[in-house]
């Protein structure tokens, strides 16, 4: 979802979920946050943009292998930065660092 404003700015709420379980290693993450996207074209949803955001992440990491067992459940506030390009209103590419 994208909430557009004048001047090429948009707020993008995010809910990201990751789940990975392989050979005794488990990762589960849930991140909730929002980003501000600035479109260089001045029109929301068109062309290149820069983004920055804040959020909170909840995670669970577990390792259960022969001779090694550990788990951690860190929760933290995080920041994000992104650069992207919208080809159409429904198709784009983004490189994001959290």
């Amino acid at each position: 979802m994208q909430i557009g404003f004048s001047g090429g700015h948009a707020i993008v709420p995010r809910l990201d979920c990751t789940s990975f379980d392989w050979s005794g290693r488990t990762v589960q993450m849930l991140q909730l946050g929002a980003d501000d996207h600035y479109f260089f074209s001045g029109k929301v949803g068109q062309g290149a943009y820069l983004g920055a955001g804040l959020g909170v992440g909840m995670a669970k990491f577990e390792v259960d292998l022969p001779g090694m067992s550990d788990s951690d459940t860190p929760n933290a506030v995080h920041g994000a930065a992104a650069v992207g390009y919208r080809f159409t209103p429904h198709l784009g590419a983004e490189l994001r660092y959290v």
Side-chain angles (χ1 to χ4, degrees), residues 13-62:
R14 291 190 175 276
L15 176 61
D16 300 318
C17 181
T18 302
S19 182
F20 174 82
D21 190 2
W22 181 67
S23 273
R25 298 170 194 99
T26 302
V27 175
Q28 296 174 335
M29 292 190 295
L30 181 63
Q31 296 178 333
L32 177 64
D35 294 345
D36 175 49
H37 287 178
Y38 172 71
F39 289 87
F40 294 109
S41 67
K43 298 177 183 176
V44 171
Q46 295 182 10
Y49 65 88
L50 289 177
L54 290 174
V56 62
M58 296 160 280
K60 179 179 180 182
F61 302 100
E62 292 181 340

Side-chain angles (χ1 to χ4, degrees), residues 67-93:
M68 178 179 22
S69 180
D70 199 7
S71 67
D72 193 12
T73 55
N75 299 319
V77 173
H78 64 269
V83 59
Y85 192 89
R86 293 290 286 273
F87 302 104
T88 72
H90 304 288
L91 178 65

